Amino acid sequence: MFNKVLIANRGEIALRILRACKEMGIETVAAHSTADADAMHVRLADQSVCIGPPASRDSYLNMHEIVAACEITGADAIHPGYGFLSENAKFAEILEAHGITFIGPTSEHIKTMGDKIMAKQTAQRLGIPVVPGSDGAVTEDSEARRIAADIGYPVIIKAASGGGGRGMRVVNSEQEMEVALQTTRTEAGAAFGDDAVYIEKYLGKPRHIEVQVMGDGKGMGVHLGERDCSLQRRHQKVLEEANSPALTPEQRDKIGMICANAVGDLGYSGAGTIEFLYEDGEFYFIEMNTRLQVEHPVTEMITRIDLVNEQLRVASGQEMSFSQKDVRFQGHAIECRINAENARTFVPSPGEITYYHPPGGLGVRVDSGVFTGYKIPPYYDSLIGKLIVVGRNRAECLNRLRRSLDEFVVGGIQTTLPLFQDLVRNDDVIAGDYDIHWLENYLAQTG
Ligand code: ADP
């Protein structure tokens, strides 16, 4: 096992990683920007190194400074968390060259899954169901029209290098195709430096369901069930739950084993998430994230497996602490992402938290790094914490979530807590009856 791990991230996930390290007796180094000098994870880490000014490109994305921080402190591994450098193949390669362990998959696997066309082809080869569409990149208008006619309109044009919900355009009819193809290619070239696009069937009312996987890098893959992340705003997840209210145990087992076997065949190492759109009983692969996800705690709450602990084990060459037969799903968990934003306009609300009282009690987990007197810097993502609640079943989980949200007090700034207080009292949410467009429609109607 590692002696010392450098955490190349900030906020709640930096603290989450630090906690796992402490429980395993591993020393920690917090690599932080000047804006995060007072952060909780910096205070709790065994050592801390300032890696630059507030702007992410000069600090949390500054590979040179991060490697230097590793060498100065003698850390043997880096945990990248999510976002920032977590899916940067070049960073993983640089660490490999420096003899520092990147806590994640190989740079090759990051590269493959980072290119959407390659990812889709790999998924298909491994037996994962994909959205019907073009075999690879599409360059000619005539080819695009032929494929679209084949699969039927509407279709969606997607940039091979797109991400974060950008670089996509829905096409409703053949008349729109030529302009849409050209615009998406031009935009993709400008935004991602790669104008390759591909086409797939546009699904009208899917759910977003993703499978948590882990690989040992030696041919063994396991799954830890799925998360339903259909409640989204601008393609950003807002509330996530495990298991999905839409799946039967048989469906769960079937898609789970397909993913576990695929990860094993790939020789994948560490944690990953295989994302699907799900409609009318069918799964359609959209992408694989080769890192820990923001919403990983809902999986942890119903499996009682610490995913960061397992990542550290696998990255250091140890065996995972469990195998597929040990994975049991107990109860139901829901996570709410609490952002420092106005709950209606979603305008960021940085500033000083003058009062902070998180909820507690049975089945309640709050992953956050904030405290009374903490000043939220304006330079980063507005996520300030996650409320995760587990119950023996979905109804108990919702009751517990309702009372937890009512207990949660954050003073001095605006947060998205009021949105969740409304959502947990909504009939569709209570029934688990929603698709990926539900929240946008709800916001438009109640706005
Ligand atoms: P990104 O990498 O930008 O997040 P994804 O491929 O994961 O892109 O897609 C993001 C979102 O776009 C999905 O969650 C879904 O809302 C929508 N989307 C993507 N592909 C399709 C499709 N074929 N049909 C309908 N919606 C889609």
Side-chain angles (χ1 to χ4, degrees):
M1 186 43 71
F2 307 117
N3 290 314
K4 201 185 269 188
V5 167
L6 181 137
I7 302 166
N9 214 303
R10 63 179 304 281
E12 68 87 17
I13 197 62
L15 188 54
R16 166 73 190 88
I17 296 161
L18 181 140
R19 285 174 171 153
C21 289
K22 289 224 161 175
E23 288 179 17
M24 297 170 84
I26 301 169
E27 281 185 52
T28 52
V29 180
H32 65 90
S33 73
T34 50
D36 284 331
D38 295 328
M40 186 55 83
H41 79 278
V42 176
R43 298 181 189 199
L44 291 177
D46 296 298
Q47 276 177 284
S48 63
V49 180
C50 181
I51 48 167
S56 302
R57 66 174 179 282
D58 300 322
S59 49
Y60 296 106
L61 294 172
N62 187 335
M63 302 188 206
H64 181 79
E65 282 297 324
I66 293 169
V67 172
C70 224
E71 285 177 339
I72 291 166
T73 56
D76 21 43
I78 292 186
H79 197 306
Y82 52 68
F84 296 130
L85 295 170
S86 62
E87 289 178 294
N88 188 311
K90 189 170 152 217
F91 183 56
E93 242 166 55
I94 289 173
L95 296 191
E96 282 159 22
H98 277 79
I100 301 166
T101 304
F102 176 78
I103 300 169
T106 60
S107 56
E108 273 312 306
H109 285 151
I110 298 175
K111 226 181 275 171
T112 303
M113 293 305 167
D115 178 295
K116 292 180 158 210
I117 293 178
M118 236 196 304
K120 197 172 170 183
Q121 285 168 344
T122 306
Q124 200 161 16
R125 179 168 58 74
L126 294 167
I128 296 173
V130 302
V131 193
S134 58
D135 274 338
V138 172
T139 45
E140 302 298 326
D141 283 7
S142 56
E143 189 191 358
R145 279 198 298 270
R146 186 181 52 71
I147 292 162
D150 248 22
I151 55 181
Y153 287 93
V155 298
I156 183 166
I157 305 178
K158 295 168 102 171
S161 301
R166 296 184 314 135
M168 287 182 279
R169 181 168 273 98
V170 180
V171 184
N172 289 298
S173 67
E174 189 166 325
Q175 290 74 22
E176 295 173 19
M177 183 57 95
E178 195 179 330
V179 174
L181 197 60
Q182 224 161 48
T183 324
T184 315
R185 288 172 60 94
T186 311
E187 283 174 3
F192 314 114
D194 170 14
D195 68 359
V197 299
Y198 63 105
I199 294 181
E200 56 187 32
K201 173 134 197 76
Y202 179 74
L203 303 164
K205 44 174 182 48
R207 297 180 81 109
H208 174 114
I209 296 181
E210 58 185 34
V211 178
Q212 176 70 53
V213 290
M214 295 255 352
D216 69 353
K218 300 168 205 155
M220 210 242 314
V222 294
H223 79 88
L224 292 105
E226 84 287 4
R227 296 182 284 263
D228 196 317
C229 316
S230 300
L231 288 177
Q232 300 183 358
R233 179 181 166 268
R234 299 200 173 158
H235 300 308
Q236 304 280 329
K237 297 161 191 165
V238 171
L239 177 151
E240 304 96 349
E241 56 184 315
N243 291 123
S244 169
L247 296 194
T248 62
E250 292 72 32
Q251 284 175 304
R252 168 166 311 119
D253 190 52
K254 187 172 171 210
I255 193 67
M257 285 317 297
I258 288 174
C259 293
N261 291 333
V263 162
D265 290 349
L266 200 58
Y268 186 84
S269 162
T273 298
I274 305 185
E275 296 195 335
F276 296 93
L277 294 178
Y278 172 82
E279 190 172 88
D280 298 332
E282 300 290 334
F283 287 92
Y284 303 97
F285 171 86
I286 44 173
E287 67 174 342
M288 177 169 183
N289 291 321
T290 52
R291 54 165 165 85
L292 195 65
Q293 305 262 104
V294 178
E295 60 273 21
H296 76 278
V298 288
T299 300
E300 295 184 327
M301 298 314 278
I302 64 163
T303 60
R304 299 173 189 199
I305 291 170
D306 179 333
L307 286 169
V308 180
N309 177 306
E310 301 300 330
Q311 283 187 301
L312 289 160
R313 282 172 173 273
V314 171
S316 72
Q318 290 186 5
E319 300 294 318
M320 282 181 245
S321 73
F322 67 97
S323 63
Q324 191 66 59
K325 65 172 180 6
D326 306 315
V327 180
R328 299 253 188 290
F329 305 109
Q330 278 189 341
H332 194 90
I334 300 181
E335 172 182 281
C336 299
R337 297 191 187 194
I338 317 293
N339 287 352
E341 290 172 356
N342 179 284
R344 277 291 151 184
T345 61
F346 302 99
V347 172
S349 175
E352 183 172 340
I353 295 180
T354 53
Y355 184 77
Y356 180 70
H357 176 81
L362 180 63
V364 178
R365 165 176 173 181
V366 178
D367 277 21
S368 176
V370 308
F371 46 87
T372 300
Y374 176 74
K375 288 194 187 69
I376 300 162
Y379 314 105
Y380 312 106
D381 188 275
S382 55
L383 181 76
I384 57 161
K386 307 181 303 203
L387 168 61
I388 307 108
V389 167
V390 67
R392 284 173 300 177
N393 50 52
R394 195 166 183 274
E396 186 175 85
C397 181
L398 278 166
N399 288 336
R400 191 162 284 158
L401 182 55
R402 247 173 252 123
R403 74 94 181 141
S404 301
L405 284 162
D406 291 345
E407 274 177 40
F408 212 146
V409 185
V410 183
I413 57 154
Q414 294 183 303
T415 72
T416 47
L417 280 166
L419 170 66
F420 292 110
Q421 284 163 345
D422 290 345
L423 287 177
V424 292
R425 291 174 173 86
N426 179 281
D427 288 344
D428 290 344
V429 174
I430 291 169
D433 183 14
Y434 50 77
D435 62 25
I436 59 169
H437 305 297
W438 187 93
L439 184 57
E440 295 273 7
N441 291 336
Y442 169 84
L443 292 169
Q445 281 161 17
T446 54

